[in-house]
Amino acid sequence: TWSRVDRESWTFRVWGKSQSWEDVSVLEQARDAIERWYRVQDPPTDGWPVFPTAHAPSKYTAVREAREDAEELLADADVDAVLREYEIAPPAITTHGTRKVLARIAENAGVEVDGEAPRLHGARRGLGDTLFRKDRGLASDILRHSSLSVTKQAYSHIDASERGDAASELLDE
């Protein structure tokens, strides 16, 4: 929800693998997009999801669970208008829904990764790969791994490649 996004300190709270709330940095490259998204979305409350579902049945269910007069409200109105007017937060998009959106965007853009649509975790892996090559400690912190050894294990292919390059350079001397 928007209540978990701090647009002044540029952090947001996420439910981590550790089963606790964690503060995460919003990288500078994403800040303008988040600001624009906030203005476009114009959430009526801080409890509004940053990425609400587009799944109509879920939105109707939210209204029905929040209001006894839901059927009257929905009879001649758009469900999104009812959600906003009565400040009923729709559910957030699900992982499945996000995968479908990403696949549709990738297909429309003609983007494939290894012959398939990009995967949600791919962006995280790409960021981790880039950060690990520059600063292993920073990569571990940004990825919120429990230790540097977890990060090193996840990106061991880079370590192996770099060791091979370094050994080759020494042999060439």
Side-chain angles (χ1 to χ4, degrees):
T1 63
W2 284 105
S3 65
R4 295 191 186 108
V5 178
D6 185 336
R7 292 178 5 256
E8 290 180 24
S9 68
W10 286 110
T11 59
F12 61 96
R13 294 189 60 75
V14 299
W15 187 251
K17 287 184 180 181
S18 64
Q19 300 300 296
S20 62
W21 289 103
E22 302 174 22
D23 291 314
V24 176
S25 301
V26 177
L27 301 181
E28 189 173 334
Q29 293 83 346
R31 294 174 186 174
D32 285 343
I34 290 171
E35 283 290 357
R36 282 192 311 272
W37 180 237
Y38 183 83
R39 285 192 306 271
V40 166
Q41 194 184 55
D42 189 26
T45 71
D46 281 349
W48 207 260
V50 176
F51 299 104
T53 186
H55 186 247
S58 297
K59 293 191 234 181
Y60 280 93
T61 297
V63 174
R64 289 182 179 114
E65 288 176 354
R67 301 283 303 211
E68 288 183 17
D69 59 346
E71 297 311 320
E72 293 172 37
L73 296 174
L74 293 168
D76 295 320
D78 174 70
V79 67
D80 291 312
V82 172
L83 290 167
R84 285 184 167 281
E85 182 178 345
Y86 294 94
E87 297 182 348
I88 302 167
I93 192 169
T94 63
T95 302
H96 176 72
T98 306
R99 285 183 183 127
K100 286 175 60 175
V101 170
L102 180 59
R104 187 175 60 244
I105 291 169
E107 182 179 349
N108 290 342
V111 173
E112 290 183 348
V113 176
D114 297 329
E116 298 179 2
R119 296 186 180 164
L120 293 178
H121 203 70
R124 177 181 167 87
R125 291 287 298 173
L127 174 65
D129 186 286
T130 299
L131 292 175
F132 189 81
R133 291 175 191 278
K134 299 288 185 187
D135 185 327
R136 281 144 170 77
L138 178 62
S140 185
D141 289 345
I142 292 292
L143 296 170
R144 296 177 293 112
H145 288 161
S146 58
S147 68
L148 182 55
S149 64
V150 170
T151 309
K152 288 181 123 184
Q153 184 177 3
Y155 295 93
S156 61
H157 62 285
I158 295 172
D159 269 342
S161 173
E162 289 176 354
R163 280 193 302 273
D165 291 346
S168 294
E169 286 177 23
L170 287 172
L171 291 174
D172 283 342
E173 288 180 1

